[in-house]
Amino acid sequence: MAADLVLLNGKVITVDPDFSIQEAIAVKDGLIAAVGTTREIQSNVGKETRVLDLRGKAVLPGINETHMHAPFFGASRPPLSLDLTYPTVQSIEDMVEALRKRVAETPPGEWIRGFGWDQSSLEECRNDPSRLPRKQDLDSVSPDHPIVFTDFSCHTLLVNSKALELTGITADTPDPESGEMERDPETREPTGILKEPKAQELVSRHVPLLTREEKKQAVLTALEHLNANGVTSFTDAAIGPGGEAFLYGVMSGEFVDIYRELLEEGKLTARVNVLLLYGDYGALTLEDIQRNIETFRVPEDVDSDWLRFPGVKIFADGIPLTYTSWMNEDYIGGDFGHGHSVIPGKTDQEQRDNLIAMIRFIHSKGYQIGLHATGDRAIDAAVDGFAEAMEENPGGDPRHYIIHGDFISREKAETLKRLNGGVAMQPFIGVMIADFDPLVVGEERAAYEWPARTVLNAGLNLTSNSDAPVTYPNWRLGIQAAVLREGLISGKVSGPEQCITVEEAIRTYTINGAWQDHMEAVKGSIEPGKFADLCIIGEDILTVDPHEIGAIPVLMTLSGGNIVHDASEGAFD
Ligand SMILES: [Zn+2]
């Protein structure tokens, strides 16, 4: 049998059940035809076969980003947004300089969006922790353009005076019902800083929604970055009718049709799983879900190897750093109680009951549930809900999973294992916040946070991902973080007993993700008969110092046997 393509003389990390290492791969019709020694695979070389000599480079299965927001990520990068991420922008001065250039190319009056500023990496803010970028910083270069800059975590907006003027926000504007519109303590004038959804909405609902063309551009931008990082599968974790109004429509239901269109045009270069968002981001109700599940249609005639709509997204709470995780015990250092759920209800008990009612309903309709829960009280309620739902409607294999799972207890990890569920974690976010969380939840809970070892010991399916755009989809940094757990600022190891091995971390980005997608039989490892989704990297990830893993370059990415990213500069031909 002559292959379409063979890869020879590599270090093929198959991620099969034995984690065996091979040398060579034959690809035919988009599938892996054979795996073996270079000698064995040479017998698959015919006249038309393309031969790549890997010269010892390592090959992994294509990476699976099990939780991210692809359209949101794409819309947050150029050309649709100014790139304000570190290290492109390292100071407020850099930010203003980038804005000055964009202003010069943009017709007056047109909105300019930017994304990714992070006060902990802006020089002026590092020198003075009370300093944030504020409207005055932007006004001098943008008197005629409304500006809206989203921070990396999506929890804070920075806007200029023109944006406040156009949206009618003044010192007399009442405070939002939740979140914060920051004010100058003396004049009560808004400073241009808006925290959390209800405050952000004061401005963001006036920013024009992305056009359909811009939305398509956002997905194409995301695919380019993902493929360049070896990603061949991802879960788009919240698009649907509930996402129309959120941040210029980056979670719009229109993306369902855009994915279909890209697939038909041959431009969908990664396999997509969609979690549908059936209610308002941050204010989900059972009624919204019940209504939208009946009326919102997804295409049924698409190639499910590439595009699937298996699940529904629920948000149960927020994140620890803003004291919005729903915890069993109180936060420390402030008057924040134990946080709260975003599920409707006046008491913890009502919120718990309403969350469980949503889970039971969605489960009864046959969907997989991806449930955002960070606090232990939220996770406990979610796992109890999965158990009730599955007792009420047994059968099937939904593989419901917790997204984030920061404080999942050993007991609930074991329960979720019995329910054949999983957890989707963000190890790199873990090291970003590792130096801050002790101030919020105390040393002990902060050291336990993101308990990957506890989850694996329970036998529960653990996956890892970037939650892009919250972090850039560089899984090498995620593996480094999961293995070392070193806080980004201090370098201090947070909870060494929760570290996992490189081999385990690789599984969380490959075969375990395939399992979450119900596709472990066809992807997630390099074995004959599976999709030829492959990622060739520049260093041997199994032997390099773990501190170097984050910097390993991706040389080439194959998706269904096609080369969708090539930075090898011809080195393999
Ligand atoms: Zn997310």
Side-chain angles (χ1 to χ4, degrees), residues 40-356:
E40 285 162 355
I41 297 303
Q42 259 159 347
S43 65
N44 295 281
V45 177
K47 272 211 292 292
E48 306 288 317
T49 304
R50 179 166 181 194
V51 179
L52 297 180
D53 180 347
L54 299 184
R55 296 162 208 254
K57 295 295 187 232
V59 189
L60 286 166
I63 301 300
N64 191 336
E65 274 279 346
T66 56
H67 174 87
M68 67 170 297
H69 310 274
F72 188 0
F73 169 60
S76 73
R77 309 292 303 190
L80 293 174
S81 284
L82 260 183
D83 179 8
L84 305 175
T85 59
Y86 183 88
T88 307
V89 165
Q90 307 190 20
S91 62
I92 293 174
E93 202 184 323
D94 287 350
M95 184 191 284
V96 172
E97 212 33 60
L99 177 59
R100 185 196 306 276
K101 287 204 193 90
R102 181 59 75 99
V103 162
E105 327 169 320
T106 308
E110 214 169 271
W111 284 82
I112 296 176
R113 305 180 183 97
F115 180 85
W117 61 274
D118 173 5
Q119 68 189 97
S120 70
S121 59
L122 295 173
E123 198 186 316
E124 298 86 342
C125 309
R126 280 211 316 266
N127 295 336
D128 171 6
S130 69
R131 174 85 162 96
L132 278 177
R134 297 208 167 85
K135 64 180 181 183
Q136 294 84 346
D137 294 305
L138 309 181
D139 286 345
S140 61
V141 296
S142 59
D144 304 318
H145 294 76
I147 310 296
V148 54
F149 284 174
T150 308
D151 85 319
F152 80 100
S153 75
C154 314
H155 288 272
T156 306
L157 289 188
L158 164 66
V159 305
N160 69 345
S161 292
K162 190 71 184 177
L164 293 170
E165 178 197 319
L166 287 181
T167 54
I169 297 175
T170 66
D172 300 329
T173 303
D175 285 328
E177 56 184 273
S178 64
E180 183 192 0
M181 179 179 81
E182 191 191 63
R183 297 174 188 270
D184 181 296
E186 267 149 43
T187 62
R188 310 256 315 142
E189 283 290 330
T191 66
I193 288 286
L194 302 155
K195 296 179 183 171
E196 302 302 326
K198 289 294 162 206
Q200 296 182 6
E201 264 175 29
L202 295 173
V203 169
S204 63
R205 65 165 181 250
H206 297 276
V207 183
L209 296 178
L210 297 170
T211 64
R212 195 178 193 286
E213 213 38 51
E214 286 172 328
K215 285 180 178 138
K216 197 167 172 183
Q217 175 63 55
V219 177
L220 288 168
T221 301
L223 286 167
E224 199 182 312
H225 284 274
L226 290 166
N227 290 157
N229 281 278
V231 176
T232 57
S233 288
F234 65 87
T235 289
D236 191 334
I239 54 173
E244 298 305 334
F246 177 73
L247 274 183
Y248 351 119
V250 292
M251 293 182 177
S252 162
E254 202 171 13
F255 285 108
V256 165
D257 193 56
I258 289 170
Y259 280 129
R260 180 201 55 76
E261 189 174 290
L262 288 170
L263 175 56
E264 281 167 11
E265 291 169 355
K267 293 177 184 160
L268 198 61
T269 53
R271 303 177 198 278
V272 183
N273 271 273
V274 172
L275 286 185
L276 293 160
L277 180 60
Y278 281 138
D280 191 357
Y281 170 75
L284 205 55
T285 65
L286 179 59
E287 293 68 37
D288 287 340
I289 296 171
Q290 285 170 330
R291 189 182 62 253
N292 284 313
I293 221 166
E294 296 304 332
T295 53
F296 187 74
R297 287 280 144 258
V298 295
E300 278 159 16
D301 53 346
V302 291
D303 181 351
S304 61
D305 286 352
W306 289 93
L307 181 57
R308 300 153 83 106
F309 304 93
V312 172
K313 174 74 176 274
I314 304 180
F315 296 88
D317 64 351
I319 60 169
L321 263 190
T322 55
Y323 303 90
T324 52
S325 293
W326 195 24
M327 303 293 289
N328 284 325
E329 310 288 334
D330 281 1
Y331 289 97
I332 64 160
D335 191 14
F336 298 97
H338 58 264
H340 53 84
S341 176
V342 295
I343 300 289
K346 288 189 200 70
T347 61
D348 282 344
Q349 187 62 40
E350 265 181 52
Q351 291 180 309
R352 183 178 186 280
D353 293 345
N354 286 335
L355 174 62
I356 291 174

Side-chain angles (χ1 to χ4, degrees), residues 446-448 485 493-499:
Y448 180 77
R485 292 177 66 99
V493 179
S494 170
E497 54 290 336
Q498 295 295 346
C499 292

Side-chain angles (χ1 to χ4, degrees), residues 428-473:
F428 189 69
I429 299 181
V431 297
M432 282 174 79
I433 63 179
D435 295 309
F436 301 100
D437 271 359
L439 306 171
V440 176
V441 294
E443 292 287 347
E444 195 183 326
R445 281 184 291 179
Y448 180 77
E449 195 175 356
W450 313 98
R453 170 56 59 206
T454 298
V455 165
L456 288 179
N457 285 354
L460 187 56
N461 193 71
L462 174 67
T463 70
S464 300
N465 55 70
S466 66
D467 200 3
V470 180
T471 67
Y472 189 76

